[in-house]
Amino acid sequence: MSGKINNLYQVQKKDMPKVGAVLTDAFQYDPVWKIVFAGESNKEEKLLAFFETPIRYCLRYGEVYSSSENLEGIAAWVPGDLADMTIWGMIRSGAFISGMKLGATLWKKLKPIFKQLDDDRKENMKGKLYFYLIIIGVASKFQGQGFGGKLIRALIEKSEELGTDIYLETETEDNVKLYERFGFKVAKKIILPNINLPMWEMIREPKP
């Protein structure tokens, strides 16, 4: 299929402990999750569980890749028709167990945020074939060295071959500019409920 994807390392279940740690480190200064997790007890454990949840889901229903076996960066995506993480899907993938570690109070904070994002994604991508890039992150010591770009280019190459869009959300203007260089366009800018922080929803269409 894709030459660039063949040059990546396909993440496996045995990599899960390190994957969670890499993503927790990658998003340590993320404005959205920094506020959501502020004041939480067992914060580190909950952050690990939070980032493991979509990875487990994507291992079952999509694809998870790293730049190499060293796991400098991680990218996980699913086909658009499997973008909704249903309870049954979470149970079958093992994501439900990770999700339960977050606790009821944290889920109460997260629920309106994810509902907004899910509703918008369905509206933005209605009737389209697409990949949903659920998460992409690079460990802090490897940032700025091209590992994230390597992962994005591989997904772009695959989407071009199949003629499908790519959809993602991002929380900072710097990331918006980065994704725009890869051909993404802002579909919508929103203010997340309860925490009053911005989120940009972005789409990349395949070239004609």
Side-chain angles (χ1 to χ4, degrees):
M1 165 68 74
S2 173
K4 286 185 172 60
I5 280 184
N6 289 338
N7 292 326
L8 300 179
Y9 170 70
Q10 190 159 19
V11 172
Q12 303 171 50
K13 285 185 179 180
K14 68 179 179 64
D15 300 312
M16 282 304 304
K18 189 173 181 181
V19 168
V22 167
L23 291 173
T24 298
D25 174 67
F27 286 90
Q28 62 182 305
Y29 301 115
D30 182 278
V32 170
W33 309 128
K34 195 172 181 179
I35 285 185
V36 169
F37 284 86
E40 286 290 324
S41 60
N42 303 318
K43 181 178 176 181
E44 186 174 338
E45 181 182 338
K46 288 179 179 178
L47 278 167
L48 285 169
F50 176 73
F51 289 115
E52 284 180 5
T53 300
I55 297 299
R56 290 186 185 279
Y57 183 81
C58 290
L59 282 172
R60 171 91 187 195
Y61 295 107
E63 297 175 273
V64 185
Y65 288 97
S66 178
S67 36
S68 78
E69 291 186 24
N70 296 322
L71 304 180
E72 300 93 348
I74 308 293
W77 60 81
V78 290
D81 59 344
L82 295 172
D84 284 342
M85 291 177 61
T86 64
I87 293 295
W88 178 239
M90 290 180 70
I91 290 172
R92 291 191 68 190
S93 63
F96 188 78
I97 296 173
S98 297
M100 288 296 289
K101 294 178 182 179
L102 299 179
T105 302
L106 186 51
W107 270 117
K108 190 175 180 179
K109 292 184 193 176
L110 291 167
K111 187 175 179 180
I113 294 173
F114 286 132
K115 184 180 188 306
Q116 176 77 59
L117 296 177
D118 288 346
D119 289 348
D120 283 356
R121 188 189 69 251
K122 291 172 186 176
E123 181 62 29
N124 291 334
M125 304 308 290
K126 188 174 181 179
K128 297 181 179 180
L129 294 174
Y130 66 99
F131 289 112
Y132 178 32
L133 180 56
I134 291 183
I135 193 166
I136 180 169
V138 176
S140 57
K141 67 180 179 179
F142 295 115
Q143 290 176 7
Q145 299 178 38
F147 293 109
K150 183 178 180 180
L151 293 165
I152 294 172
R153 289 186 187 94
L155 176 55
I156 288 173
E157 183 180 83
K158 180 170 184 174
S159 74
E160 291 285 351
E161 289 174 357
L162 298 176
T164 61
D165 294 357
I166 305 172
Y167 187 83
L168 60 81
E169 301 107 1
T170 191
E171 301 92 66
T172 69
E173 290 191 72
D174 285 345
N175 284 347
V176 171
K177 293 173 184 176
L178 170 66
Y179 290 125
E180 285 177 337
R181 291 200 291 271
F182 285 101
F184 287 83
K185 295 180 180 179
V186 175
K188 189 176 181 182
K189 179 184 176 182
I190 63 171
I191 300 299
L192 293 171
N194 296 341
I195 60 174
N196 297 317
L197 286 178
M199 181 79 80
W200 288 264
E201 300 163 350
M202 305 187 73
I203 301 171
R204 187 190 189 279
E205 297 178 343
K207 294 178 181 177

